[in-house]
Structures are given as structure tokens and as C-alpha cells.
Amino acid sequence: MTFTKSIKNASLLLALCGLLLQGCATVGPGAGDSHYAVAAGAELASRYAPVIVPGESTRPYNRIGRAAARLDEDGEEEIYIATDPAVFYFREQAFTTARGNSYHNLIYRFHFPRVPQLHLTAGRNGGLFVVITLDDEQRPVLITTVHTCGCYLAFVPSSYLPDSAYPEAWPAETQTVFGETLPVRLDYPARFDPAWRPLISLRSETHRVMDVRLGRLAQISAPLIPVELRPVTDLERLPLNGGQTSFFHHSGWLKGYVKDSFKPWELLLMSWWVLDLNVGRDKQLGDPALTGTVFYTSLKPWAREESNMGFFAEFLDYWGWRL
């Protein structure tokens, strides 16, 4: 190997390694960044919906949108995220833990047009899940956030969750999640008031969760962008050329994955050690027998079933929660 070729290879390696660091290099929300919020209503879905605050919210790739379909110049189907209106795709999930306790999940799914290049997660149509877990008194006890590919999982418990339910060695002050510093607990008032909403701040470009706190809609002075709540089943009925199509593949080796969500850098840098050629692609959430894919949240190949968020009680057990 020549010296010149060695230098070129080293430069390429450094450039690729730099991608791994890009997620922490982008900015978070400023004072004037828009807040995405669902108007308060009688339904659980609207009363508890999180407020999302993206960094650099005016940039098109940081805007929450709706899933849409069209035909490209060659007449081929193309799935994309239209940035008006903003939509949370929503479903509920009841579950009972091995300890006999019953809970109710409010699951919000939303998507962005893309993550720009020069980021590890660069690609189109990526999104986030925010899961609000309620106890039998309809109080939020746990907030779970994760990208719709299953990466960057984070938990923030509330003051309504007893200490006995926390994982062992839970930190006392702050927690570090893939380079981001998040609170270890959200302190709600002793008597629950639904006017308090989780405010979730995201980094520009990568949409990484960088802060979770509580706030009241009435006290937010920044611009508010209204968010529509739609059932997650709407993702199976995207209008296209007088008919309908799905946001997800329904057959083949991509069954259960979001269409047009190819992540080239994750394929190149991670697939060989994760043992998954589809690592980084965004997925459907649910029973793998129905969706066709496992929504794993651990990169350990042997922990895919245990860390599957589709089965929430077992998923919590895997990550050490004792609800």
C-alpha cells in the first residue's frame, strides 16, 4: 500500500468516525423556537400529549409533519413527510406486569422529513416515539422516548413512581443517555394537574432528545404550532393517485419497515457488528407476528426479543424497571 493511499484511507476513516460525534454537535431550541402542541381536550390522548420543541424549528428538516405518498418522475411510489399539518399518530396500550400491576400507555408517533447528511442517522422519514405510561389513577409514572428505528432509548420517571420500581443504581441527579444529559425524575405536584405537560426539547438536524421538563401550555410564550391527533392506523391508508398505500412495507425482507427510510451510514458503520442489514431503518411498532419486524431497543443481537418495545411489560423488565 502506498503512502498516498494510506493517507487517503486514514482520512476516510477519520471522516466516518466524525459522523459518530455529529449527534452532539447540533444546537437545541432557542427562546423563539416553535412548540408543537395538541390542544387540550377531554380525551386522554389530548390531555396528556407531550409538547415537542425542536431546535432551529424553522428549518424544513426539523418540522414535524404528516406521512404522505406521491408518484415520482418515473411513476414510482414515493413516501415522504409533508410539513403541514403537524401530526401525532396515536394509539393506546394496556399492559400488566409480572408483579400484577396494571398500566395504560399513551403512544405518540411523529416524523420529520429527514436527518441531513454528515450525521450517523442521516436519511429520510425518521421519527420519534413518546410513550406516556399512566398508573391506575391516570397519573403519568414514566415517560419513554425512542427514535422510530429503536435507537437512543431514554426513560424519565415521574415523582408518582415509587422508588421501589426504579432500576437498581438509578442515578441521583442526572442521567447521561448517549451523550445527552437528561433529568432523573419529573417532579409533578402532589395532586396531579393535567395542565402540566412534558416539554421535550430536541436537537436540530438529529432530533435527539436533549431535555425533558414540565410546563403549562398557558405559560408558553413561544409560537405554538397546532398538532393533529390521528390514529396510527391512518399510516396504513395514505392517499395515492386515487387509491391508498401504506407507510410501511408489507412483504419481503423489509416487511414492517418504513418505506424510503434507508440509512446509508448506519448500514456501512454498524450493520456488520449489529448483525442487521436493516439497522437504523424506521419500523412499525407491535407484535412481530403481525408487523414482520422486531422493534428491538438494544444493539446486542442476543437481546432483540427481550428488548422489543412491542411487548412493553417484558421490555421494561429487560431494562431493569420494576413496575
Side-chain angles (χ1 to χ4, degrees):
M1 182 180 292
T2 66
F3 177 75
T4 301
K5 188 173 182 180
S6 297
I7 292 296
K8 287 182 179 179
N9 288 342
S11 298
L12 177 61
L13 180 60
L14 288 173
L16 293 177
C17 289
L19 290 169
L20 298 174
L21 304 177
Q22 285 289 326
C24 298
T26 59
V27 301
D33 274 312
S34 298
H35 290 48
Y36 286 83
V38 175
E43 303 86 358
L44 286 178
S46 58
R47 288 169 54 201
Y48 291 84
V51 177
I52 306 299
V53 193
E56 297 184 310
S57 58
T58 60
R59 294 185 180 272
Y61 46 70
N62 291 329
R63 296 174 62 186
I64 295 171
R66 64 174 174 86
R70 61 192 173 198
L71 298 180
D72 64 17
E73 295 178 353
D74 298 321
E76 297 293 327
E77 177 185 290
E78 179 185 7
I79 299 298
Y80 68 103
I81 303 300
T83 53
D84 185 34
V87 175
F88 287 174
Y89 295 95
F90 171 77
R91 75 180 180 95
E92 302 185 38
Q93 175 191 48
F95 68 96
T96 302
T97 66
R99 295 164 183 81
N101 299 319
S102 296
Y103 297 92
H104 197 86
N105 277 343
L106 308 176
I107 303 174
Y108 304 88
R109 176 179 194 139
F110 50 93
H111 284 261
F112 301 89
R114 63 187 176 95
V115 170
Q117 290 299 327
L118 299 183
H119 291 290
L120 176 64
T121 55
R124 296 173 50 203
N125 298 342
L128 285 169
F129 279 108
V130 177
V131 182
I132 312 293
T133 300
L134 308 180
D135 65 11
D136 55 7
E137 297 180 48
Q138 293 190 347
R139 301 179 305 177
V141 294
L142 185 65
I143 296 172
T144 305
T145 66
V146 66
H147 287 233
T148 51
C149 59
C151 56
Y152 301 124
L153 173 69
F155 300 99
V156 180
S158 87
S159 48
Y160 300 129
L161 188 67
D163 291 346
S164 60
Y166 284 49
E168 294 181 6
W170 186 253
E173 297 181 359
T174 59
Q175 57 167 322
T176 301
V177 181
F178 298 98
E180 299 291 355
T181 301
L182 301 179
V184 296
R185 185 179 66 187
L186 289 182
D187 289 317
Y188 280 86
R191 183 173 181 178
F192 176 63
D193 179 354
W196 290 99
R197 301 275 195 99
L199 270 61
I200 300 177
S201 297
L202 308 181
R203 288 202 179 275
S204 175
E205 302 186 13
T206 62
H207 314 132
R208 288 285 313 278
V209 173
M210 60 174 292
D211 191 26
V212 182
R213 55 192 173 87
L214 293 175
R216 289 174 175 265
L217 282 183
Q219 296 174 344
I220 295 174
S221 58
L224 285 178
I225 296 178
V227 175
E228 295 183 7
L229 271 178
R230 297 186 185 178
V232 73
T233 51
D234 276 12
L235 292 172
E236 299 287 359
R237 300 187 294 266
L238 305 185
L240 175 64
N241 201 33
Q244 293 182 335
T245 190
S246 174
F247 192 53
F248 307 101
H249 290 279
H250 279 182
S251 62
W253 76 302
L254 291 177
K255 184 179 179 181
Y257 289 90
V258 173
K259 295 175 181 176
D260 297 321
S261 66
F262 176 57
K263 305 293 178 66
W265 293 117
E266 291 188 80
L267 172 64
L268 177 64
L269 297 175
M270 297 177 63
S271 61
W272 55 274
W273 59 270
V274 176
L275 304 181
D276 182 4
L277 290 175
N278 290 322
V279 65
R281 284 184 183 265
D282 301 275
K283 303 176 183 179
Q284 204 167 0
L285 175 65
D287 184 343
L290 301 176
T291 65
T293 186
V294 178
F295 196 93
Y296 63 81
T297 54
S298 169
L299 291 176
K300 299 173 182 177
W302 57 88
R304 287 183 183 161
E305 298 294 337
E306 293 88 342
S307 69
N308 176 15
M309 201 171 83
F311 300 125
F312 209 81
E314 294 82 354
F315 156 81
L316 290 178
D317 283 342
Y318 174 79
W319 288 107
W321 294 93
R322 295 172 287 181
L323 275 68

